[in-house]
């Protein structure tokens, strides 16, 4: 056969078509279930799971299908990590810090009070050694993880009365779960852990004096501003909280490499996109809230300093007791200290000028 015969349009097209068909047939149909910790009403967060599923399907010619379930549909919202670890579901969307009851080191996956901001979290995970350290930790649970989103720095929440100093925290009943709650308890707050849907009625009947949630876009939907007008910042317990996709390690290892690549790429895209959505949706939400009489306040400096001191005392104490925590904490702290030193040079001075100049 002459070379030009091979290259004639029709025969080359048929040949390529046949190869493509053979290759597509080589790849199996895979159907996974993804259990999310989050309700569909948190559309920016839950939406990242839907985005992941849609992109994975598009990148595999529809052969790798992931069906997403909101919190409570398949497993309870806070049971997602265990469900993935045990292989009840192939993958999940959650936040590591929901599981600090197992080991405080889970918090490095999401956020620690006075820890990394969103940009630093990405830098640590993708290029600063964080992914490797956290994957070693999660491997002991039979789980592989992928950063899958970030809210950016959250708000400090809604207070019925103004907080003028540390003394005003005494006996304050505040909905604040996790490590932030533990630290505020040391400063006199009575922390409460209440699911999203139950916060508004508790605030309304006075069972709560204050609550934190996420930021303007998500908070507005729950209507806290109708009861508590004082809106504090920053949410120092969530300066850059990462949302995460968890995958059952053995199920992952059984995937064809192109499906693994599709999942990895789609997770990275979801990660970028969630922060972009928050950065685009929070500003107009804040404007709407301010038009309704919401009053913004920074937390008093003595509150911030006392909370920061309590936070690092907690980490140092935990490091002495918990080798898994210490191993990650040492590297995380080294990364953060260097990053903060650099960030204040160009980034912070640029932002400060831009945001505050009149
Ligand atoms: Ca929060």
């Amino acid at each position: 056969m002459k070379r030009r015969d091979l290259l004639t349009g029709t025969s080359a097209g048929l040949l390529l078509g046949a190869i493509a068909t053979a290759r597509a047939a080589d790849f199996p149909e895979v159907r996974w279930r993804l259990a999310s910790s989050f309700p569909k009403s948190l559309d920016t967060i839950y939406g990242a799971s839907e985005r992941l599923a849609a992109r994975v399907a598009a990148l595999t010619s529809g052969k790798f299908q992931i069906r997403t379930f909101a919190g409570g549909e398949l497993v309870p919202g806070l049971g997602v990590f265990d469900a993935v670890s045990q292989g009840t579901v192939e993958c999940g969307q959650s936040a590591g810090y929901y599981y600090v009851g197992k080991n405080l080191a889970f918090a490095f996956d999401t956020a620690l009070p006075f820890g990394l901001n969103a940009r630093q979290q990405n830098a640590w995970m993708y290029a600063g050694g964080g992914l490797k350290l956290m994957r070693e930790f999660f491997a002991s649970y039979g789980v592989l993880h992928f950063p899958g989103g970030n809210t950016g720095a959250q708000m400090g929440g809604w207070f019925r009365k103004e907080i003028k100093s540390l003394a005003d925290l005494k006996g304050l009943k505040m909905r604040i779960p996790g490590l932030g709650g533990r630290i505020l308890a040391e400063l006199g707050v009575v922390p409460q852990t209440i699911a999203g849907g139950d916060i508004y009625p508790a605030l309304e009947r006075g069972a709560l004096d204050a609550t934190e949630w996420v930021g303007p876009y998500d908070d507005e939907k729950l209507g806290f501003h109708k009861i508590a007008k004082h809106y504090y910042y920053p949410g120092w317990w969530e300066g850059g909280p990462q949302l995460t996709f968890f995958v059952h390690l053995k199920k992952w290892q059984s995937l064809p490499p192109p499906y693994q690549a599709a999942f990895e790429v789609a997770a990275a895209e979801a990660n970028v996109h969630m922060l972009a959505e928050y950065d685009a949706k929070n500003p107009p939400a804040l404007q709407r809230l301010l038009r309704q009489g919401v009053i913004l306040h920074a937390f008093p400096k003595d509150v911030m300093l006392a909370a920061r001191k309590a936070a690092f005392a907690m980490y140092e104490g935990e490091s002495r007791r918990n080798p898994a925590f210490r191993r990650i904490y040492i590297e995380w702290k080294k990364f953060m200290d260097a990053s903060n030193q650099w960030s204040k040079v160009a980034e912070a001075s640029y932002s400060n000028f831009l945001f505050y100049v009149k």
Side-chain angles (χ1 to χ4, degrees), residues 97 151 154-155 175-177 212-215 219 235 237-238 241:
Y97 70 177
T151 66
Q154 295 197 2
M155 285 296 283
R175 182 269 179 194
I176 173 166
E212 64 85 56
W213 185 236
V214 184
D219 294 10
W237 48 94
E238 286 165 314

